[in-house]
Amino acid sequence: MHATDDTACLVALLARAGVARDRLREGVSAAGGHIVLEEDPNTLDLAALQAAAPQVVLVALEPAIEDALEQLETVLESGQYNLMFEEAELAARREGWEAQRWVRHLAAKLQGHANVLPPGPENDADVAPAAPEQAPAPGQEQPQEQEQPAQPESHGALQFDPALAEADDFASAAFSPPPVQREAPAEVLSFEELIASAAPPAQFAEESVDSGARGMPPPLPLATEQPVGTPATPVAGKGFSEWSLLEDDAYTEATPAVELAAEPPPALASLLNSSLSLVELEEADDGGSRSAVLLVAGIGGPDAVRRVLAGLPEDFNRPVLVQLRLDGGRYANLVKQMSRAAALPVALADPGQGLQQGNIYILPDGVGLASEATGLVFSTATSDLLSALQPEGSAVLLLSGADVAMVEPVLAFAGSGGWVAGQVGEGCYDPAAASQLAVAGMLAGDPEHLVAELAAHCGN
């Protein structure tokens, strides 16, 4: 094995021998990683793994290693290693542009940076235009060319040109819009001036005296200046406590208070003695039985879905739907993998089955969603899932590899009251759809941040 840089990330590759392991080995080397251990998970010796002391453990997932992963679960999830999972079949088929993109994302994770863009052409140094040569005057010697001092390399940096600067100033002065003429603001009265502009009622001073006589502190005196205009004059003999806010110009007589009987009527007595409950109102707050959480993922999706489901609390009160397209239809294996990470029960969606609160459902190919009188039910119709969901109380998360075609209907779903977010940042192999959500002003971040905001939004 050739010598490697001391700063290279140490990787343990756990995969069965075959094309998938060869492709993953090539990808790790191209991403700047150094493989210190390469073993089949079925025959892995834990002592060898600990002796290799890797920083990252890369596992190629396939049904043949599920039993081995269950035995290694305690060691792998101890927090000693950074875990990365990859579909073995997907890794074996990845080539060309898709393989190069995966290597860039893998390099970003191994080297701890966020640059996942392909390399672009370097910027050439700016060349200043040569000044036109002037012919020497008659009888004047031709000036000799003087050696120009060496200029430092610009490396693509912009050079300051006074002529261009003056041109820019002229353009900005010539084409800048005229200043907006704003009207002088109207005179703003202070709170004290507004108080002073109101005329005090005639009865107000008398009630102040009466209040003082009864031992109550008199109200603050008001200014006696009359406001501009003719204010509404209160009816004579009316005190401050009898004023009303009716739209009538004059104040009306206060309605005398009706004294309650010593014993309330039988109907009122039964109502007062009964115990009221708000259970039905609280159940209606979660959007009813037609609200749910939809997770949509693609390339790199298994790891993103696992991180989201692992962060859901045990009392999460929404059904969670996972739409993750897998080649070969191994959705039963996906249910087993997600059951190990999630605290909520995970099941495979079955047509005709009704959705239950706090359950996670993996949607296989050919299973859709229908809204019936009793609530949401899985069906064989493959129509848009969003059309069956009630936006109020529902949420949609576009994770790594989500189809870009989902962006427009998801934004429309958000406009109808739905909660929408997308995965970006480290660990997101394909953030194209989520990035468009972020540009549109929707919430974006890593899976841990998204699931925390989702739980807070749903009241957990």
Side-chain angles (χ1 to χ4, degrees):
M1 185 175 295
H2 59 82
T4 58
D5 187 3
D6 294 339
T7 61
C9 184
L10 306 182
V11 181
L13 177 58
L14 304 184
R16 294 202 310 156
V19 179
R21 188 163 80 174
D22 296 340
R23 294 287 176 84
L24 292 177
R25 183 194 314 112
E26 296 172 358
V28 171
S29 299
H34 175 46
I35 297 180
V36 295
L37 180 66
E38 184 176 325
E39 285 291 341
D40 187 337
N42 296 318
T43 60
L44 174 65
D45 185 6
L46 292 180
L49 177 62
Q50 295 176 355
Q55 298 170 292
V56 175
V57 176
L58 176 58
V59 182
L61 296 175
E62 55 181 322
I65 67 170
E66 286 189 1
D67 296 336
L69 288 182
E70 290 182 358
Q71 299 177 1
L72 299 174
E73 182 177 0
T74 304
V75 177
L76 295 180
E77 296 184 357
S78 62
Q80 183 179 359
Y81 312 108
N82 293 326
L83 301 180
M84 295 178 59
F85 297 92
E86 186 65 27
E87 290 284 343
E89 183 178 351
L90 183 61
R93 294 187 296 104
R94 188 183 292 119
E95 60 184 8
W97 176 86
E98 186 178 355
Q100 296 176 6
R101 182 180 63 173
W102 179 79
V103 169
R104 292 195 302 270
H105 285 271
L106 180 61
K109 297 194 67 174
L110 296 180
Q111 301 174 13
H113 60 75
N115 183 15
V116 296
L117 297 178
E122 297 181 357
N123 296 328
D124 297 333
D126 296 336
V127 179
E133 298 182 356
Q134 297 181 356
Q140 184 178 2
E141 297 181 357
Q142 178 72 22
Q144 299 180 356
E145 296 182 357
Q146 297 181 358
E147 183 179 358
Q148 298 294 332
Q151 298 293 336
E153 296 182 1
S154 63
H155 296 286
L158 297 178
Q159 304 294 329
F160 175 74
D161 191 342
L164 293 179
E166 294 179 1
D168 291 341
D169 294 341
F170 171 75
S172 62
F175 298 101
S176 60
V180 179
Q181 298 294 335
R182 301 182 181 275
E183 297 180 358
E187 181 181 359
V188 179
L189 299 180
S190 64
F191 180 76
E192 292 77 5
E193 292 174 341
L194 291 174
I195 295 279
S197 63
Q203 189 71 14
F204 186 79
E206 298 178 2
E207 291 189 353
S208 301
V209 175
D210 295 340
S211 300
R214 291 192 297 267
M216 300 176 57
L220 296 176
L222 300 179
T224 58
E225 296 181 1
Q226 297 294 333
V228 179
T230 305
T233 303
V235 179
K238 300 301 178 184
F240 179 78
S241 61
E242 298 176 355
W243 288 12
S244 65
L245 294 178
L246 298 177
E247 297 181 356
D248 193 358
D249 293 338
Y251 300 105
T252 58
E253 293 288 344
T255 303
V258 179
E259 296 183 359
L260 296 177
E263 294 183 359
L268 180 58
S270 61
L271 179 61
L272 294 176
N273 295 330
S274 62
S275 59
L276 301 180
S277 174
L278 295 178
V279 174
E280 296 182 358
L281 294 179
E282 293 178 355
E283 292 179 352
D285 289 340
D286 61 1
S289 58
R290 291 173 177 79
S291 61
V293 176
L294 175 62
L295 310 182
V296 183
I299 297 178
D303 181 64
V305 172
R306 178 186 62 83
R307 294 162 65 182
V308 171
L309 298 183
L312 291 175
E314 296 182 358
D315 58 346
F316 192 74
N317 59 357
R318 298 286 194 284
V320 181
L321 312 178
V322 178
Q323 187 181 63
L324 176 61
R325 301 304 183 192
L326 296 178
D327 296 332
R330 299 188 304 273
Y331 293 101
N333 296 331
L334 184 61
V335 171
K336 295 180 181 179
Q337 296 173 8
M338 298 306 165
S339 297
R340 302 189 189 104
L344 301 175
V346 183
L348 193 65
D350 188 18
Q353 177 186 11
L355 276 67
Q356 300 295 327
Q357 304 290 341
N359 284 12
I360 300 173
Y361 300 94
I362 306 297
L363 296 177
D365 296 335
V367 176
L369 201 62
S371 178
E372 298 184 355
T374 57
L376 295 176
V377 178
F378 293 114
S379 67
T380 56
T382 58
S383 59
D384 182 17
L385 295 174
L386 299 179
S387 60
L389 293 179
Q390 175 180 334
E392 186 68 25
S394 298
V396 179
L397 273 69
L398 297 187
L399 303 177
S400 176
D403 191 358
V404 179
M406 289 284 296
V407 174
E408 185 174 352
V410 167
L411 289 177
F413 185 78
S416 300
W419 190 87
V420 173
Q423 178 194 1
V424 297
E426 183 180 1
C428 185
Y429 292 98
D430 185 6
S435 298
Q436 295 188 23
L437 291 184
V439 172
M442 301 293 106
L443 177 67
D446 57 21
E448 288 73 17
H449 175 67
L450 297 183
V451 71
E453 295 293 332
L454 174 63
H457 172 75
C458 293
N460 294 91

